[in-house]
Amino acid sequence: KKAPAVIKATGDALVKLSPDSIAPLAAVLNDYNDVYRRNAENVLIKIGPPVYDAMLGKLSSSEKNDRESAARVLGGINEPKAIGPLIEMFEDHTIAVRRAAAKAVAQYKNAALPQLTACVQDNLDNPLVLKQAAYALGLIGSAGAAAELSKMLGSNDPLVKEATARAMGYGA
């Protein structure tokens, strides 16, 4: 077992090697060990936008851990072009991946609102997507997000209404 200080120092060194370290770090995202995955995610986030393409590829992996970790990394790298692919993950068959994607979209705050609004309009008959959009909007918590959530309360789907009402409390 490696000491946390050793893991952190190794991560800091990998950030300095950024382009050469992306592929090996991305491979760790499917490790069975949650600590290793989280450390790899943190280092990839520190590397920043250069990891975008590698993480985009991981979003289509057959492995849940890859998709979930890639969503978390994309939320942390401040690369606005990640918003669209993350919103597409609202349809993933695994709830943990959908939630990670919604949290990641919320990290972009108001920059994500136009795409989230379009997502809601394009998926009025898809409660799975609408629930994640409501969650992301609730986490954003801005006036614009609240306005979109208010519109979603009019949904005919009771699960969407419930998710929207719950989301309205997140920003409070």
Side-chain angles (χ1 to χ4, degrees):
K1 182 177 175 181
K2 293 187 172 125
V6 173
I7 292 172
K8 184 186 178 320
T10 303
D12 290 345
L14 289 170
V15 169
K16 291 176 183 158
L17 297 171
S18 60
D20 295 330
S21 62
I22 293 171
L25 284 165
V28 176
L29 296 181
N30 195 40
D31 196 280
Y32 69 92
N33 186 311
D34 201 36
V35 173
Y36 293 164
R37 279 196 318 273
R38 294 298 176 136
N39 281 317
E41 289 172 16
N42 290 334
V43 174
L44 288 163
I45 288 168
K46 285 180 185 176
I47 293 170
V51 306
Y52 174 78
D53 289 333
M55 294 305 99
L56 193 62
K58 290 282 186 181
L59 288 180
S60 60
S61 171
S62 62
E63 299 295 328
K64 173 196 93 69
N65 288 341
D66 275 341
R67 297 188 314 276
E68 184 178 357
S69 288
R72 281 195 289 265
V73 171
L74 287 170
I77 64 170
N78 196 27
E79 177 56 71
K81 65 184 179 181
I83 297 168
L86 285 166
I87 288 173
E88 290 175 18
M89 297 308 292
F90 290 1
E91 293 189 77
D92 193 272
H93 61 276
T94 305
I95 183 64
V97 173
R98 292 192 303 267
R99 278 292 156 140
K103 287 178 183 177
V105 168
Q107 288 183 277
Y108 287 92
K109 302 284 184 197
N110 285 334
L113 286 179
Q115 291 180 63
L116 276 170
T117 300
C119 168
V120 169
Q121 293 307 309
D122 293 345
N123 289 282
L124 293 174
D125 61 343
N126 189 340
L128 189 73
V129 170
L130 292 176
K131 286 171 56 178
Q132 297 313 309
Y135 182 60
L137 288 163
L139 292 174
I140 291 170
S142 68
E148 192 60 36
L149 284 167
S150 293
K151 293 178 200 170
M152 292 176 70
L153 279 174
S155 172
N156 292 327
D157 188 298
L159 295 175
V160 172
K161 279 185 182 183
E162 178 185 343
T164 301
R166 195 173 313 120
M168 292 180 100
Y170 294 149

